[in-house]
Amino acid sequence: MNDIFHKLLILRSPGIGPVKYAELIRQFGSAAAVCDSLRCDTKFIDSVRREMDIAAKMNIRYISDECSEYPENLRNIPNHPPVISARGNIDALRRRTVALVGTRHATGAGLRFMSDIAREFAQNNYAVASGMAMGTDTASHMGALSVPGDAQTIAVLAGGVDYIWPTENERLYHEIIERGCAISEMPVGFTPGPANFMRRNKWIAAVSEMLILGEADAKSGANATAEIMVSFGRPVYAVPSHPSDPRSMGPNRLIKEGKAIMCQGVQDFFENPKSSAPDSNKKNAPENDILSKLGNIPMPESVLAELVKKNVAEVKQELVVLELDGRVVKQDGGYVKT
């Protein structure tokens, strides 16, 4: 614990990131010696202690790159975070890991495709890594979590490991930390800015041995994550789409440039896939409040929220689940029941 405390003192000091941290360790020989050289004042030392106290109360663990629990794929990346925080089942960090990323505005078919792939990887003892954003990230985490058991998914977060964003994914976050794991390089309680999300994308790629890119426009964060994976020299698979759809630009371009392998489904990765067809029982699942209000005329999320007496965030999350199950479809103007 003292070793982690010294490392956090260094990393929480202004102007010190992974590169400077490594230089200081080489220069002084140990984290404790670096801390002595920094001569941190009492107020700063107390702030780091408070962070660690809060983390302990929330069952958040700090894992240094010298620990066996530290993800091996991440450790192999130059200038990786010397310490990450983790909340949930850290067994997920010991599994082979695949990154699934794509746009927040994916089509229903795109969401289902990525969910099926995530489920297949989880059934084959992989952890599925993504960024817990709406759309493709959500579908990927949920697909992995649809498999019974634990340690199926890893959420790499831009803020503190306790910071839930987007707020619509609060329920998903708690399911992830109950069965999978959330990780971050940032302090507990940290509120992220745009630069943190870009950095988060790097670590999604870094913790994974391969990456699958779903629907994504050419300038999206998901496409940037795939490009980062290419720079790591690790395999990238991309799901092709119709060229008239802007969401095809990212994967189609990577395939055209030879940076990615075309992904056509779970059969590209497993000889006898279990997720090649949707569960036929889903169509026979009981109605819920939202389904009972839907018909053939598209209904907006805000109207649904009023009808079922729930907030819009809750309705959005339930609609993602129903769309993944093939029970609703999003059209212009809202959702309809299939």
Side-chain angles (χ1 to χ4, degrees), residues 310-330:
K310 294 181 179 180
N311 63 48
V312 174
E314 290 176 312
V315 168
K316 282 183 177 180
Q317 190 61 58
E318 289 190 36
L319 285 168
V320 170
V321 177
L322 292 170
E323 192 167 19
L324 290 177
D325 284 347
R327 302 173 74 188
V328 302
V329 174
K330 189 174 185 179

Side-chain angles (χ1 to χ4, degrees), residues 78-93:
N79 304 322
H80 57 261
V83 176
I84 60 172
S85 54
R87 192 179 190 190
N89 186 347
I90 64 170
D91 287 343
L93 304 181

